[in-house]
Amino acid sequence: MIGSPIKHSLSPVLHNAAYAALGLDWEYTRLECTEDQVASLVASLGPEWVGLSCTMPTKRAALAVASSVTSRASAVGAANTLVRNGSEWHADCTDVDGVVGALREKGFSGGSRGVVIGAGGTATAVLAGFAAMGVTSVSLVVRDPSRTSEAVSTASRVGVAVEVLALSSVDLGSLAAASDVLVSTVPAEATVPLASALARAPYVLDVIYHPWPTPVATAVAQAGTRLATGLDMLLHQAFGQVEQFTGKPAPQDVMREALAAELASRS
């Protein structure tokens, strides 16, 4: 995997467990890489490299170095997955799988109205995931409405109608209660004053999982609504990557068990 910083990433735990279970003598390792270094790093990789996982801040540069790109990666404007195709690279964004898989695992089967808190890189993947689940209208709640152009462009590309709302002027509790699903993409500390309002949505995905429990997770538990977590999202995007790298079904139970064991060892 490439990105910076990546020292504490959980992805090697998931991938190495998967490859061992599939009987592959493969190693998934970390390569520190900034956005400016992506092109030269990818060009230097030998044929033994079958793929790359790309985390921040390399996702946009990864999209740029690819010779072919999936429609969803193009819509999101970023790639978290590069797969070798002969002498070229194919780009995808399995972050979309992460959003869809995490919510469906918790029982969300679809709806028309969504809410997204924040408009950064994760929000664009969420919008593509919403479109895949049939969500047609999204309220994008942000502190600074002037910094939403990328998210608004993604929404347009995936066919989702989006309204941008300033956090300072919205009744967040009522908005959440009227939605079918809500995703928070902002840091845990930013959700402290918002958590009880966000928890009024019937389904909530909080993409943050450290420190745990997040304020949103605590509020959802108290409200009795359904919560999908960033760890759920991490797992599902990794399932998609493993399948693209290997051409085989991901050993999902093995990957879940490896993640649980790693988290237990860190606690």
Side-chain angles (χ1 to χ4, degrees), residues 98-106 182-184 203-210 212-214 216-218 220 226-237 256 259 263:
V99 173
V100 173
L103 285 168
R104 284 182 173 164
E105 184 177 308
K106 302 305 176 181
L182 180 148
V183 180
S184 174
Y203 291 90
V204 177
L205 167 58
D206 185 0
V207 306
I208 305 301
Y209 55 83
H210 182 77
W212 188 260
T214 63
V216 172
T218 300
V220 169
R226 297 195 182 187
L227 176 72
T229 74
L231 289 174
D232 299 319
M233 186 174 168
L234 178 70
L235 276 165
H236 282 276
Q237 64 83 27
R256 291 181 190 280
L259 178 60
L263 293 173

Side-chain angles (χ1 to χ4, degrees), residues 170-187:
V170 67
D171 180 348
L172 195 54
S174 296
L175 184 68
S179 73
D180 296 303
V181 60
L182 180 148
V183 180
S184 174
T185 70
V186 299

Side-chain angles (χ1 to χ4, degrees), residues 11-262:
S11 291
V13 173
L14 303 178
H15 282 261
N16 285 322
Y19 304 144
L22 293 172
L24 298 170
D25 186 20
W26 288 12
E27 180 183 8
Y28 183 97
T29 189
R30 301 177 178 90
L31 298 175
E32 284 283 335
C33 180
T34 65
E35 183 175 13
D36 293 341
Q37 296 170 326
V38 171
S40 59
L41 173 64
V42 171
S44 73
L45 299 178
E48 71 276 13
W49 289 83
V50 299
L52 291 171
S53 302
C54 310
T55 190
M56 295 303 292
T58 66
K59 293 183 179 182
R60 297 190 186 284
L63 187 71
V65 302
S67 299
S68 59
V69 178
T70 63
S71 59
R72 63 183 183 178
S74 179
V76 171
N80 77 325
T81 306
L82 288 174
V83 183
R84 183 180 289 282
N85 181 14
S87 61
E88 300 179 335
W89 294 89
H90 177 68
D92 192 18
C93 184
T94 69
D95 287 332
V96 179
D97 294 332
V99 173
V100 173
L103 285 168
R104 284 182 173 164
E105 184 177 308
K106 302 305 176 181
F108 181 67
S109 58
S112 61
R113 301 181 65 180
V115 175
V116 180
I117 312 299
T122 303
T124 56
V126 171
L127 289 165
F130 274 180
M133 291 183 287
V135 175
T136 56
S137 175
V138 174
S139 297
L140 190 65
V141 182
V142 294
R143 294 189 182 278
D144 184 358
S146 70
R147 302 177 65 181
T148 60
S149 60
E150 291 182 357
V152 170
S153 294
T154 293
S156 176
R157 287 192 289 266
V158 298
V160 170
V162 63
E163 62 172 346
V164 177
L165 301 173
L167 179 61
S168 60
S169 61
V170 67
D171 180 348
L172 195 54
S174 296
L175 184 68
S179 73
D180 296 303
V181 60
L182 180 148
V183 180
S184 174
T185 70
V186 299
E189 60 269 20
T191 65
V192 172
L194 314 176
S196 61
L198 302 184
R200 294 184 62 186
Y203 291 90
V204 177
L205 167 58
D206 185 0
V207 306
I208 305 301
Y209 55 83
H210 182 77
W212 188 260
T214 63
V216 172
T218 300
V220 169
Q222 293 171 347
T225 49
R226 297 195 182 187
L227 176 72
T229 74
L231 289 174
D232 299 319
M233 186 174 168
L234 178 70
L235 276 165
H236 282 276
Q237 64 83 27
F239 296 158
Q241 286 187 334
V242 166
E243 291 179 359
Q244 291 195 45
F245 293 161
T246 67
K248 300 178 180 181
Q252 296 187 12
D253 290 345
V254 169
M255 295 170 72
R256 291 181 190 280
E257 290 167 4
L259 178 60
E262 178 66 18

